[in-house]
């Protein structure tokens, strides 16, 4: 019993930093609708700034003062980030802001490396709170008790702020209905900045408060991000009491997981999230998302058209150039193009459901990696010939997508995204932990193509055939009745339903097709690299695809392909430099601000202006992107 | 190569028009080096400086085959697929004659498989996975450091000497962790058949919930603990375990914890009395072959060495030795030269690579942790050759895929 | 006359509040029937229950002889019921004609077709429907650029594509200019006459209602208080009581949604 109680105290102490980070994230999402990927970076900044301040300020006052100062400092940084990076792009398409926040992650990563160096920092001890007290005979660190006391105080403070002050009323109003705040004559821009600063400050506080239990290191931004999102989603996006409950739930379950299922450390919280979302699609205390609430900000995209004469010629010339490339270019260029084509197909498959279906998946890597793993497993365990394994990769990835889609498709918006994320984490953990079959994180190596493809140039043409074939197939599907039906379900589900379209079924079919195409890319990938690792199933891989789709332009058909080409090319180039992530981050932020409709969207806009025609009015060739 | 020139070259590569460099007399011999410079900067940087020190010495000595030796360093972000692409580029575009690099085992394995497929020589310097030279071994891959198995076996040997019979283990939940625990168990059980393993904890890598892990270990009431966690996980584990009295009256055997990379961040909280493998550079005395390296490194970089510095230095030295022995920069010649290669007078004495599995004889330092002047140090340490801890030649031949 | 639609004791309650309280009525084949009532009378709720957007608390809906209570909208649509909405939900990212083609694709069960080019399919047929509602000239404009009244007409064209037996129109003229309203309802009346389709519609504009509806039903506070031809409804004392307060029944010019 004593052990049991000590476990619960442990969980409560762990919940503290998690709640602070998650509550900030939830607050920011609730008001600004920005899914802030950079939130983990503010947490990391909090830890580093906290360490620095604590080293400078001595004693009790110094320690606690440093924590408060850290909160202020990180809040200020948050405000600056919001004003420079986010303020110009609130009118961009839904979720576009997450690309900008991704850029912020990269910038903060390299800045932290420059300022604080690569070495991990141990957190200073809290003065007077070193050591343990014995409760029921179990040792409980004193600082844990302090954390357990602080968390409810913070919740109470937030509760007071939100229910008892004018600012709080505005925050609540904005969470319920953004338009209303504008109607009330409030300066929305400053409200957003303020909330962003508050949310960042909470993350910074979290980072500083956990110091005596941990420290500061350069990986903590991503490490906290997953759990923080899980907490926000389980609690219900935008709900602070929900975040509080969920932080405690996750932390306490985590503690018991460590004790009774030590192997569960990787997946437990994602399993919990999947179960909660399947049972309560909007989290514990969340409310249903009103359809279109944050969809379709900005003007709707122009109707799609197949390519006109000019554009067709350009595409044919490009494909022709790719076909002739091996005659002039050396092997490495072919390898780079292989990588680009594979990534472009992967991105195009995500773009298909995201652009035409409005389904934002955070877990698309499950199908890319799934295809790669399917092929590798067939080669390794069934001794399948490469050709058979390759052809089965998209099929098996499609089956996986069908299964996962069946659960996810009933949700929408951010909750759909988070459930796909949970499932992709489950797939990842299977690949990671089932070592006897998948090789764990040592992966599967020596999965090379058949002899007739072992030469780089042969494989290059093989990749072109299936990669470009897959992209064209997806493009064709967009122009086919199926693609139209998918778009109908996105534009107006009610209308689609009232004209006999089974929207969910179309979406599930599209999800499956996209999964299969991602699997095809995965099949190409595994034989190009000769190996596959759980890295290909990671969240980071899903985000890669997501980011290039937004960067290229969601509301354009070529966005995924162009974005993938752009990012792979730029990254290959930049990564030769020191601090290249800083440059890449700045570049992404720059693109986002200059071209909020993505690269293709911006080019199209410029083309339209040059042609002097209003968007979408005429010009079959012009609206062709 | 300065940043500016690299940028221009990089741009040329990006635009894909520049012709490939054709090696000429007097041109540098280029080695392709791929590492996790952004993702694991704390480990990769000292390693790189070790290489740079060796290159400085080699080139001021007239280089290799009369040509300067040059490393091209590239960042793979810890992503195996990225590493494979860069490897291809280094070999086909940058004119590299062989590959080296990686700290993470999975990246090492990806590079090793790629190297075998394409017929490139790859020296895996840092990765610890046993499979690199055993179950997944291939003729083109060579490995420098003492592997997980060997280092765990050294700790198991020490553990077998005590009265402890109830052991608990804690290791990060990934391949290195599971390999290490398996190796420790197997070796300890062989040496002391009556041991009992009463608990296994598997925290997520770099995401440990230290308090709970400590409680769970305490609950198993072990006599001794085998630890594999490292980095931030280790720091948290040490702090929570110390506070909660987990280590009181218990022996702890801990893999790699004596390496400066992990020991230095712990400061005065370094857990005294733990038996660890590591690198006690501060305690090397004149006469020890490792001492001149430590001095040279401190002078060259103005920093104290890490284990990565030593590994980086030995990497460059090995490669220079192999090319010198090969008398050519042709892949086959380098590969054959590496087999059974001997390099005299290195910081670990005579360095050689075994023909049977392409593993070097670099061993490990094993000792006990103590705190001196507010900093953890290894005391009562000794340097051990890996030979006695290796499986038998027959076992290794059976493990390695047929060539 | 045979009944096309029969509604029996339809009830919808929200936490005890009876939005629709035991409504029963029927619509005959070829009939143009109006459902009117003040704001909040339960007209739209009633409509949503007929088409399946809302599941009734109790009661039944029959289409011909078949019970369709609680059936999903898309299945009701497949049974031959068309619907237009008070606030149109046309597809913003498609052209006018593509909106119609979309309905035709669904009608001809080509939704899972991955091979054809959607914009080539049924274009001629779609054009015909646009011509019927007078939208032919705007066929290739993006839907997002249309005036509100045009959207309403487009909505009607869409609802006609599967040659419905019964058409449910929720406030078909809301938001239109008065002259356009009359025109649209004349169009609807023509369609009823020519194609033999039955229409049930709700409407605020009493001119429209009394000019075109064959029969009129009046709903108030969830209950049906009158059901008959124009003259009978005008004379009905309950109806007068309901509408005199609002004053809109006979001075209809200012009444729109």
């Amino acid at each position: 019993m004593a052990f049991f109680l000590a476990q619960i105290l442990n969980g409560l102490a762990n919940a503290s930093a998690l709640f602070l980070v998650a509550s900030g994230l939830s607050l920011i999402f609730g008001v600004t609708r920005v899914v802030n990927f950079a939130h983990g970076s503010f947490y990391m900044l909090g830890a580093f700034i906290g360490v620095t301040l604590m080293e400078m300020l001595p004693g009790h006052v110094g320690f606690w003062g440093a924590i408060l100062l850290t909160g202020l400092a990180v809040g200020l940084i948050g405000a600056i980030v919001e004003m420079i990076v986010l303020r110009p792009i609130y009118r961009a398409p839904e979720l576009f802001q997450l690309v900008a926040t991704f850029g912020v992650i990269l910038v903060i990563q390299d800045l932290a490396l420059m300022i604080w160096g690569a070495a991990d920092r141990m957190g200073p001890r809290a003065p007077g709170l070193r050591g343990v007290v014995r409760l029921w005979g179990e040792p409980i660190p004193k600082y844990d008790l302090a954390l357990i006391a602080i968390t409810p105080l913070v919740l109470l403070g937030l509760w007071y702020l939100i229910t008892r002050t004018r600012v709080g009323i505005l925050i609540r109003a904005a969470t319920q209905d953004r338009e209303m705040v504008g109607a009330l004559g409030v300066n929305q821009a400053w409200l957003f900045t303020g909330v962003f600063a508050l949310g960042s400050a909470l993350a910074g506080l979290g980072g500083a408060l956990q110091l005596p239990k941990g420290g500061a290191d350069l990986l903590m931004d991503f490490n906290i991000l997953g759990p923080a999102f899980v907490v926000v989603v389980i609690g219900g996006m935008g709900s602070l009491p929900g975040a509080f409950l969920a932080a405690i739930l996750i932390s306490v379950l985590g503690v018991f997981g460590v004790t009774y299922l030590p192997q569960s450390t990787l997946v437990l919280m994602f399993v919990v999230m999947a179960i909660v979302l399947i049972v309560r699609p909007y989290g514990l205390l969340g409310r249903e998302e009103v359809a279109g609430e944050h969809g379709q900000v900005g003007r709707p995209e122009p109707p799609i058209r197949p390519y006109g004469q000019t554009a067709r010629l350009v595409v044919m010339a490009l494909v022709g150039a790719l076909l002739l490339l091996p005659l002039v270019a050396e092997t490495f260029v072919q390898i780079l193009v292989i990588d680009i084509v594979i990534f472009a197909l992967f991105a195009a498959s995500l773009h298909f459901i995201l652009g035409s279906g409005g389904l934002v998946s955070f877990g698309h890597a499950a199908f890319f990696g799934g295809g790669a793993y399917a092929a590798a497993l067939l080669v390794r365990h069934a001794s399948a010939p490469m050709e058979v394994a390759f052809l089965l990769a998209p099929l098996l990835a499609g089956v996986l997508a069908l299964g996962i889609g069946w659960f996810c498709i009933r949700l929408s918006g951010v909750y759909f995204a988070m459930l796909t994320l949970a499932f992709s984490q489950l797939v990842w953990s299977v690949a990671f932990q089932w070592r006897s079959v998948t090789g764990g994180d040592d992966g599967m190596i020596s999965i090379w193509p058949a002899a007739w493809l072992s030469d780089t140039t042969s494989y290059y043409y093989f990749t072109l055939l299936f990669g470009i074939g897959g992209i064209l197939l997806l493009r064709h599907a967009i122009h086919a009745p199926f693609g139209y039906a998918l778009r109908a379900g996105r534009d107006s589900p009610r209308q689609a339903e009232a004209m006999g379209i089974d929207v969910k079924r179309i979406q599930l079919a599209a999800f499956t097709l996209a999964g299969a195409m991602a699997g095809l890319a995965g099949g190409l990938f595994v034989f190009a690299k000769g190996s596959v690792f759980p890295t290909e199933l990671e969240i980071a891989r899903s985000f890669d695809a997501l980011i290039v789709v937004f960067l290229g332009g969601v509301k354009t058909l070529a966005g995924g392909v162009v974005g993938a080409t752009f990012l792979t090319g730029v990254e290959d180039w930049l990564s030769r430099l020191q601090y290249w992530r800083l440059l890449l981050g700045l570049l992404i932020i720059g693109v986002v601000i200059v071209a909020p409709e993505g690269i293709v969207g911006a080019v199209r806009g410029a083309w339209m202006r040059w042609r002097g025609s209003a968007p979408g009015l005429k010009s079959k060739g012009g609206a062709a992107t | 190569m300065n940043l500016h020139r690299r940028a221009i070259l990089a741009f040329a590569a990006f635009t894909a028009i520049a012709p490939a460099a054709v090696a000429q007399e007097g041109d540098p011999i280029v080695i392709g080096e791929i590492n996790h410079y952004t993702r694991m900067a704390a480990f990769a940087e000292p390693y790189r400086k070790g290489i740079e020190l060796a290159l400085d010495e080699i080139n001021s000595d007239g280089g290799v085959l009369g040509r300067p030796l040059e490393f091209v360093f590239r960042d793979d972000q810890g992503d195996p697929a990225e590493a494979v692409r860069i490897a291809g580029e280094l070999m086909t575009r940058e004119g590299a004659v062989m590959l080296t690099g990686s700290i993470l085992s999975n990246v090492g394995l990806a590079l090793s498989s790629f190297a075998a497929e394409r017929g490139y020589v790859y020296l895996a310097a840092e990765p610890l996975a046993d499979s690199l030279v055993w179950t997944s071994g291939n003729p083109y891959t060579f490995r420098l450091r003492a592997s997980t198995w060997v280092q765990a076996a050294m700790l198991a040997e020490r553990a077998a000497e005590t009265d402890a019979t109830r052991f608990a283990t804690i290791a990060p939940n990934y391949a290195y962790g599971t390999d290490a625990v398996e190796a420790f168990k197997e070796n300890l059980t062989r040496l002391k058949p009556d041991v009992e393993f009463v608990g296994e904890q598997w925290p997520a890598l770099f995401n440990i919930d230290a308090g709970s892990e400590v409680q769970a270990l305490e609950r198993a009431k072990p006599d001794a603990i085998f630890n594999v966690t490292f980095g931030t996980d280790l720091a948290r584990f040490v702090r929570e375990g110390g506070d909660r009295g987990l280590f009181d009256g218990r022996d702890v055997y801990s893999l790699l914890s004596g390496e400066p990379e992990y020991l230095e961040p712990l400061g005065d909280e370094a857990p005294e009395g733990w038996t660890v493998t590591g690198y006690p550079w501060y305690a090397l005395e004149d006469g020890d072959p490792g001492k001149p390296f430590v001095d040279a490194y401190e002078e060259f970089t103005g920093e104290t060495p890490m284990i990565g510095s030593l590994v980086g230095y030995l990497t460059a030295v090995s490669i220079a030795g192999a090319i010198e022995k090969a008398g050519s920069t042709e892949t086959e010649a380098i590969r054959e030269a590496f087999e059974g290669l001997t390099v005299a007078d290195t910081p670990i004495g005579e360095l050689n690579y075994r023909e049977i599995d392409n593993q070097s004889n670099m061993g490990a330092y094993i000792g006990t942790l103590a705190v001196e002047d507010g900093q953890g140090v290894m005391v009562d340490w000794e340097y051990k050759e890996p030979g006695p801890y290796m499986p038998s030649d027959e076992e290794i031949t059976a493990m390695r895929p047929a060539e | 006359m045979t009944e096309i639609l029969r509604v029996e004791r339809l009830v919808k309650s929200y936490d005890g509040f009876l939005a629709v309280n035991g409504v029963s009525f029927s619509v005959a084949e070829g009939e143009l029937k109006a459902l009117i009532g003040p704001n909040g009378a339960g007209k739209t709720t009633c409509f949503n229950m007929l088409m399946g957007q809302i599941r009734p608390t109790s009661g039944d809906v029959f289409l011909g002889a078949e019970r369709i209570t609680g059936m999903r909208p898309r299945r009701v649509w497949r049974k031959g019921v068309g619907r237009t909405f008070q606030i149109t939900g046309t597809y913003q990212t498609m052209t006018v004609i593509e909106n119609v083609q979309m309905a035709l694709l669904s009608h001809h069960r080509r939704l899972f077709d991955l091979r054809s080019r959607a914009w080539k399919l049924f274009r001629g047929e779609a054009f015909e429907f646009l011509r019927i509602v007078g939208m032919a000239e705007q066929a290739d404009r993006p839907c997002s650029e249309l005036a509100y009244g045009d959207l309403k007409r487009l909505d009607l064209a869409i609802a006609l594509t599967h040659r419905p037996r019964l058409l449910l129109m929720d406030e078909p003229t809301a938001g239109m200019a008065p002259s356009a309203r009359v025109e649209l309802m004349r169009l609807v009346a023509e369609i009823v006459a020519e194609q033999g389709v039955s229409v049930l519609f709700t409407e605020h504009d009493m001119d429209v209602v009394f000019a075109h509806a064959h029969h009129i039903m009046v709903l108030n506070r969830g209950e049906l208080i009158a059901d008959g031809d124009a003259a009978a409804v005008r004379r009905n004392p309950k109806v007068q009581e309901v509408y005199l307060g609002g004053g809109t029944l006979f001075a209809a010019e200012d009444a729109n949604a």
Side-chain angles (χ1 to χ4, degrees), chain A residues 296 300-306 312 352 473 475-477 479-506 509 513 614-617 620, chain C residues 51 53 72-75 77-78 81-83 85-95 98-99 102-107 110-119 121 140-145 155 158:
Chain A
Q296 302 305 321
E301 72 215 62
I304 57 170
R305 281 282 175 277
R312 252 171 219 270
F352 178 68
L473 183 105
R475 252 197 100 81
H476 197 86
H479 290 290
F482 180 67
Y484 270 64
L486 185 62
R487 220 145 39 88
R490 177 202 63 182
D491 279 2
S492 175
R494 184 193 67 182
Q495 178 86 336
E497 196 67 30
M499 61 167 62
I501 301 175
D502 188 340
V503 174
K504 294 291 175 196
R505 212 166 128 217
I506 294 274
L513 176 64
L617 245 185
K620 286 216 163 190
Chain C
M51 191 79 189
Q53 271 94 2
R72 303 291 304 255
R74 60 171 183 273
R75 294 199 51 206
W77 183 84
R78 293 242 179 249
V81 181
R83 159 140 202 203
F85 291 92
Q86 184 174 358
I87 298 162
T88 57
T90 45
Y91 309 126
Q92 291 289 298
T93 66
M94 296 184 195
T95 61
E98 282 171 350
N99 265 276
M102 197 62 247
L104 286 165
L105 286 169
S106 178
H107 179 50
R110 295 285 290 272
L111 291 175
F112 286 89
D113 183 344
L114 272 169
R115 287 179 308 166
S116 326
R117 295 281 193 187
W119 61 279
L121 293 174
D140 286 317
R141 289 186 69 186
C143 207
S144 53
E145 295 176 359
D155 213 12
I158 291 170

Side-chain angles (χ1 to χ4, degrees), chain A residues 141-275:
Chain A
K142 289 180 193 162
Y143 192 72
D144 278 20
L145 295 175
L147 285 179
I148 292 170
I150 288 169
T151 318
L153 286 180
V154 173
L155 180 66
L156 207 68
L158 285 174
W159 174 82
Y160 182 84
L161 176 78
I162 285 178
T163 54
R164 291 286 185 270
T165 64
R166 175 167 157 75
V167 175
I169 292 170
L170 293 177
I171 290 176
R172 267 187 304 157
T175 309
Q176 315 265 309
D177 183 355
R178 268 211 289 190
E179 306 303 314
M180 203 174 96
V181 181
L184 288 174
V186 173
N187 185 333
Q188 190 175 308
W190 285 108
L191 180 66
F192 280 19
T193 307
V195 166
F196 205 87
L198 176 61
S200 310
L202 286 169
L205 274 182
L209 267 177
Q210 61 81 43
L211 281 171
K213 282 175 74 71
D217 63 82
L218 291 169
L219 294 173
M220 59 194 293
D221 51 351
F222 276 106
N223 281 342
I224 193 78
L225 201 57
F229 267 112
V230 167
V231 164
V232 170
V233 168
I234 289 181
M237 303 282 294
S239 163
L240 289 181
F244 183 71
L245 274 182
I248 289 176
L249 177 74
I250 285 293
S251 301
V252 171
L253 278 178
V255 170
F256 284 101
V258 164
T259 310
Y260 299 106
L261 271 173
Q263 294 275 11
S264 70
T265 44
L266 298 178
V267 283
L268 185 67
M269 65 181 181
F270 291 100
V271 173
V272 173
M273 175 163 89
I275 292 170

Side-chain angles (χ1 to χ4, degrees), chain A residues 10 15 32 36 43 52 70 86 92 121 142 160 173 184 198 202 250 330 339 355 455-456 511 516 546 574 589 622:
Chain A
N10 235 346
T32 66
N36 180 23
Y43 172 72
T52 311
T70 301
L86 293 174
R121 302 287 190 96
K142 289 180 193 162
Y160 182 84
L184 288 174
L198 176 61
L202 286 169
I250 285 293
E330 53 200 307
D339 280 11
D455 170 60
T456 303
F511 194 77
L546 205 58
L574 282 181
I589 293 170

Side-chain angles (χ1 to χ4, degrees), chain B residues 16 20 61 111 127 161 177 192 198 214-216 317 321 331 358 372 380 401:
Chain B
D61 252 11
L111 286 174
E161 290 163 3
K192 197 174 179 185
V198 293
V214 166
Q215 266 183 341
V317 165
T331 292
N358 296 350
E372 287 173 9
D380 303 331

